[in-house]
Amino acid sequence: MKLARSYVADVEFSAEDALRSDIDFLCRVIEAVVKVGATTINLPDTVGYSTPDEIGQFFKTIRSRVSVPDNVIFSAHCHDDLGLAVANTLAAVDAGVRQVECTINGIGERAGNAALEEIVMAFIVRADRLPYETAVKTRHIFAASQLLGQLTGQGVQVNKAIVGRNAFAHEAGIHQDGILKDRRTYEIMRAEDVGVPWDPLVLGKHSGRHAVQKRCSDLGLTWRATRSSRSIAR
């Protein structure tokens, strides 16, 4: 640790499986590594075992019990084995963590890690509850997600939040009608803000006539309505 600090200003210490460690011993370890140069303390939920309330309380307890300088940064590293990586990360930030370790598309060991795109957009969309900022340029999120998928050969599931193919798609007629009138009716963020081309209307068995009319108009077709039927003409 001392040798590392002689070369760089920021040295991170990571305690494997910290959430399941003996907390008294963990506090002693943290104080020891800070004394010899650690400036970032990463406490991972290595096996994705924690819950949001638990991890929040964990970081509050650690921060209240260890004696370290104010410039020491606590970091969270959450895995998604129970599907809670992002929720746990947000809870950790609320508990005083100021660095989070996350990945694009949530890729990682086993079920993966906390997804960067979900964390970043949660901060933006719910700034009322999560008043935190990042330096991420959100308009590049979708392109980064697509590039990673191409490089790894692992695409994201279609219903993946933020970057999935269906994230901004609407098939139900009532949703399509609402979107056509005011996008805010059924969208909590703009697709363009994360770099996704906005083409929300999916024509299917649940679609309504407003969506069909809009698609016809986009194709240069004229929609004519009669009492008994509706027809389409060029």
Side-chain angles (χ1 to χ4, degrees):
M1 202 69 69
K2 288 181 179 179
L3 179 61
R5 274 301 299 273
S6 70
Y7 288 101
V8 295
D10 181 30
V11 177
E12 178 174 321
F13 171 79
S14 185
E16 187 81 356
D17 207 8
L19 267 294
R20 297 194 300 173
S21 300
D22 179 83
I23 200 162
D24 293 328
F25 177 70
L26 183 60
C27 287
R28 294 199 301 272
V29 170
I30 292 171
E31 291 181 342
V33 296
V34 168
K35 285 181 181 178
V36 293
T39 51
T40 300
I41 303 299
N42 182 51
L43 303 177
D45 180 19
T46 305
V47 294
Y49 182 72
S50 190
T51 61
D53 59 328
E54 182 180 32
I55 200 169
Q57 187 57 52
F58 169 80
F59 276 104
K60 289 177 182 177
T61 299
I62 292 291
R63 295 180 63 241
S64 68
R65 289 183 55 176
V66 297
S67 178
V68 297
D70 291 339
N71 66 321
V72 171
I73 300 296
F74 283 90
S75 168
H77 176 115
C78 299
H79 280 261
D80 207 33
D81 296 72
L82 292 176
L84 296 172
V86 170
N88 286 343
T89 299
L90 299 180
V93 172
D94 252 350
V97 163
R98 289 299 174 265
Q99 173 181 296
V100 299
E101 299 189 349
C102 52
T103 62
I104 295 171
N105 295 346
I107 65 168
E109 190 79 359
R110 301 181 314 280
N113 293 72
L116 176 146
E117 60 276 7
E118 296 177 25
I119 296 169
V120 170
M121 294 312 295
F123 289 158
I124 293 174
V125 174
R126 292 310 309 269
D128 58 321
R129 300 298 300 269
L130 300 165
Y132 311 106
E133 297 180 357
T134 74
V136 174
K137 298 184 184 300
T138 63
R139 288 183 179 271
H140 297 299
I141 284 177
F142 182 69
S145 169
Q146 292 288 293
L147 176 60
L148 182 61
Q150 293 170 9
L151 293 175
T152 62
Q154 298 293 324
V156 299
Q157 65 267 32
V158 297
N159 63 333
K160 169 74 171 63
I162 315 300
V163 293
R165 189 177 72 225
N166 290 350
F168 296 93
H170 306 270
E171 187 201 2
I174 189 171
H175 284 230
Q176 293 175 331
D177 185 53
I179 286 293
L180 289 172
K181 292 175 178 175
D182 188 336
R183 290 174 59 176
R184 295 170 299 177
T185 307
Y186 289 108
E187 292 186 351
I188 61 173
M189 69 189 83
R190 297 187 342 136
E192 298 91 328
D193 291 340
V194 294
V196 177
W198 191 64
D199 185 19
L201 302 182
V202 176
L203 295 185
K205 63 182 180 180
H206 300 114
S207 297
R209 61 187 180 88
H210 290 132
V212 175
Q213 185 175 5
K214 176 66 167 58
R215 179 59 59 85
C216 289
S217 176
D218 292 341
L219 293 173
L221 304 176
T222 302
W223 173 279
R224 289 202 303 264
T226 65
R227 285 187 178 181
S228 57
S229 65
R230 289 181 172 80
S231 61
I232 299 173
R234 293 186 181 278

